Amino acid sequence: MSTKDKFDDIYGLTPLQKGMLFHALATPDDALYFEQLTCELQGELNHEAFARTWDLLKDRHSVLRTAFVWKGQREPVQVVLREASVPWDQLDWIDCYPATQAQKQHDFLIDDRKRGFSLNRAPLMRITTARLSKDRWFFVWSHHHILMDGWSLPLLMKEFFSIYHAISEGREVILSRIRPYGDYISWLKDWNQDNHSESNWREYLSGFSESNDLGLSVSRQKSDGFLEACLTFSAEETDRLQYLGHEWELTLNTLVQGAWAKVIGQHSGRDDVVFGITVSGMPPTMDQVEAMVGLFINTVPFRTQVNDALSPKNYLKSIQKRQLSMMPHEYGNLADIQRWSDMPGGQSLFDTLLVFENYPMGDAIPQDIGGLSVQNVDFAERTNYALTLVAIPGRELRLKMSFDSSRLRMKKAQRMLVHLKMALLGLTKGLPKVGD
């Protein structure tokens, strides 16, 4: 077989993929953008159906057979292999005490992250099952974020359990046709040739020449690596926020953005605030894009003026209006946007990232399928930012802050989360001004 016959397709990278590749090559030991989905499977695991399901998913979705090539290239490319095998490590901890099993799970996840991936070797994913008892398994799906975003995870999980169920029962697997990820790359290439975003981003960021200082730029203390601080709203508090959004015709995402801007303004001592946000990156005019699997999201700057004299409603409405005006330009390269800003060379616009997880992961994983129940689902990832705030909507709104412990202490991270909660709930109390 010739080298050409080994490939299904070759195409370029999205702006965010280029950034992820840069950071992965610059700091190969940091496990940046290494992602782990974990859960516990209980019941009778059909090993043959399990393996066959992953093979079908790999054949169906090109991103699961994709490697990245940069050496000898003017621009890095992603190569879709015609054939690739999904690694499956099967461990047996059945003879260990529960406490030992828990420690083994913890140690495995750390070692798995250290193991990482070679981005020029497909597939950039692997699965692991560790048997805990006769009918219980610890399951880990590890992959690199450069392949796909959070929107793709529930799609894949939903397909996985549907296929697994069909194979386990001896039924024919019937799946609808999907568009290959390469179609999106082609669309993005055309957009880059036709768009006129530079003037819009220059205007949006005009006058912002100094990033908001939260004390994250310099490492000042001993590091325990990246740590997490979490805070959960009660169901009643979450209902109040949802009701306010409905009354004011605002999304919960806009409420969180406005409150987080206020917190950053308070901690940096400035009214002019810029931080990073993730945007969906899915073109609304592209047919079937919502069923495609790949990396669509992008990271762009979010800017607002925290005007204490405005009413909360007018403050949030101004944020919504400005964000809507920038939506046609959200597919751009962050490095270009940085260059178009007034920031001095070598200085970043922001070192904090806000992620609003509005994809339905919980709905994609059934509680029971084919005699196999799924429990204790969790997901872990790391970005290259010193502080990443993740808002997870649901019956109870969750806030999760991942931060570099050499740049931010746990007490300050927890204090910032409390301030954010106070700012959000303050919106619901009918205060006349943002600054009250």
Side-chain angles (χ1 to χ4, degrees):
M1 182 183 292
S2 67
T3 301
K4 185 176 180 180
D5 292 335
K6 296 180 180 179
F7 305 147
D8 266 348
D9 209 346
I10 300 176
Y11 39 76
L13 279 61
T14 71
L16 188 56
Q17 284 179 320
K18 291 179 181 179
M20 289 180 178
L21 178 62
F22 170 81
H23 288 290
L25 298 177
T27 56
D29 297 328
D30 286 353
L32 297 178
Y33 297 103
F34 184 91
E35 302 189 323
Q36 294 167 316
L37 187 148
T38 62
C39 65
E40 188 175 297
L41 306 174
Q42 188 157 354
E44 184 178 350
L45 179 63
N46 185 326
H47 287 70
E48 182 179 349
F50 195 78
R52 178 64 180 142
T53 299
W54 283 108
D55 280 339
L56 287 175
L57 285 175
K58 172 258 301 178
D59 293 339
R60 176 172 166 81
H61 297 288
S62 58
V63 297
L64 302 184
R65 291 175 279 115
T66 295
F68 292 77
V69 179
W70 57 91
K71 291 183 178 179
Q73 305 289 324
R74 289 183 60 186
E75 289 285 337
V77 295
Q78 43 191 326
V79 178
V80 181
L81 301 186
R82 189 151 294 167
E83 298 289 341
S85 299
V86 178
W88 179 12
D89 295 332
Q90 301 181 59
L91 308 176
D92 194 340
W93 300 338
I94 195 170
D95 293 330
C96 300
Y97 290 108
T100 304
Q101 289 179 347
Q103 185 62 49
K104 281 182 172 291
Q105 291 180 27
H106 176 269
D107 294 343
F108 171 83
L109 293 176
I110 293 175
D111 292 340
D112 187 43
R113 282 193 292 270
K114 290 179 180 179
R115 181 179 170 189
F117 292 106
S118 297
L119 296 185
N120 59 350
R121 295 181 182 179
L124 300 181
M125 59 165 283
R126 56 179 170 264
I127 55 177
T128 303
T129 52
R131 193 172 190 180
L132 304 177
S133 68
K134 181 180 178 180
D135 59 356
R136 287 175 53 242
W137 284 264
F138 176 59
F139 168 67
V140 184
W141 175 29
S142 308
H143 64 276
H144 200 285
H145 194 3
I146 200 170
L147 293 182
M148 68 191 86
D149 56 33
W151 284 102
S152 298
L153 295 180
L155 291 175
L156 279 172
M157 286 293 93
K158 189 173 182 178
E159 285 188 0
F160 172 83
F161 286 107
S162 177
I163 297 171
Y164 174 83
H165 195 189
I167 295 177
S168 296
E169 295 185 346
R171 293 185 283 109
E172 181 183 1
V173 176
I174 301 176
L175 297 169
S176 60
R177 292 175 60 87
I178 57 171
R179 295 186 68 171
Y181 182 61
D183 286 1
Y184 172 70
I185 300 297
S186 297
W187 179 91
L188 195 60
K189 183 178 180 181
D190 292 339
W191 180 89
N192 281 321
Q193 292 173 344
D194 298 337
N195 91 90
H196 305 284
S197 288
E198 179 177 348
S199 60
N200 290 277
W201 281 113
R202 285 189 182 277
E203 180 181 356
Y204 184 76
L205 295 168
S206 177
F208 190 85
S209 58
E210 182 182 356
S211 61
N212 298 102
D213 185 10
L214 300 179
L216 302 172
S217 58
V218 180
S219 177
R220 297 186 178 91
Q221 61 192 60
K222 182 180 177 180
S223 174
D224 291 320
F226 272 70
L227 300 178
E228 278 190 2
C230 299
L231 187 151
T232 302
F233 287 66
S234 69
E236 189 271 335
E237 291 168 337
T238 304
D239 286 343
R240 282 159 53 192
L241 291 172
Q242 295 282 13
Y243 178 79
L244 181 71
H246 177 75
E247 285 290 296
W248 290 353
E249 297 181 323
L250 297 167
T251 64
L252 182 57
N253 187 14
T254 300
L255 268 61
V256 174
Q257 288 175 342
W260 183 234
K262 185 176 180 182
V263 171
I264 290 183
Q266 290 172 339
H267 283 261
S268 64
R270 293 176 57 198
D271 296 333
D272 195 2
V273 172
V274 171
F275 54 88
I277 59 171
T278 57
V279 292
S280 76
M282 289 187 173
T285 57
M286 188 174 187
D287 290 340
Q288 302 176 29
V289 67
E290 68 282 350
M292 295 170 64
V293 170
L295 187 79
F296 299 90
I297 62 168
N298 197 19
T299 298
V300 295
F302 170 94
R303 185 185 188 186
T304 191
Q305 295 283 338
V306 182
N307 188 340
D308 288 345
L310 287 178
S311 70
K313 182 178 180 179
N314 288 340
Y315 166 63
L316 294 169
K317 284 288 187 180
S318 69
I319 287 175
Q320 181 188 55
K321 181 179 179 180
R322 204 168 189 198
Q323 282 304 106
L324 288 173
S325 72
M326 295 306 294
M327 281 183 65
H329 313 290
E330 66 183 21
Y331 310 98
N333 192 319
L334 182 57
D336 291 335
I337 297 171
Q338 170 88 27
R339 182 165 47 84
W340 297 331
S341 74
D342 293 336
M343 290 292 294
Q347 295 186 28
S348 298
L349 276 164
F350 53 84
D351 51 15
T352 63
L353 178 68
L354 172 61
V355 180
F356 191 83
E357 287 192 355
N358 52 351
Y359 38 85
M361 176 60 79
D363 296 339
I365 301 179
Q367 295 298 309
D368 185 272
I369 188 162
L372 195 66
S373 65
V374 184
Q375 303 170 352
N376 303 323
V377 180
D378 199 8
F379 185 74
E381 64 177 329
R382 259 192 62 191
T383 73
N384 62 288
Y385 294 97
L387 187 159
T388 299
L389 174 67
V390 182
I392 308 168
R395 187 68 188 91
E396 297 177 338
L397 174 64
R398 286 184 61 217
L399 301 175
K400 183 171 67 173
M401 184 180 288
S402 172
F403 58 94
D404 184 344
S405 62
S406 70
R407 302 183 181 190
L408 183 67
R409 296 186 184 277
M410 176 62 79
K411 286 185 177 180
K412 182 173 181 179
Q414 292 171 332
R415 189 163 62 248
M416 291 179 75
L417 283 180
V418 172
H419 289 171
L420 177 55
K421 181 176 182 178
M422 293 171 61
L424 271 167
L425 294 180
L427 299 172
T428 71
K429 294 181 179 180
L431 300 177
K433 297 180 181 179
V434 172
D436 291 344

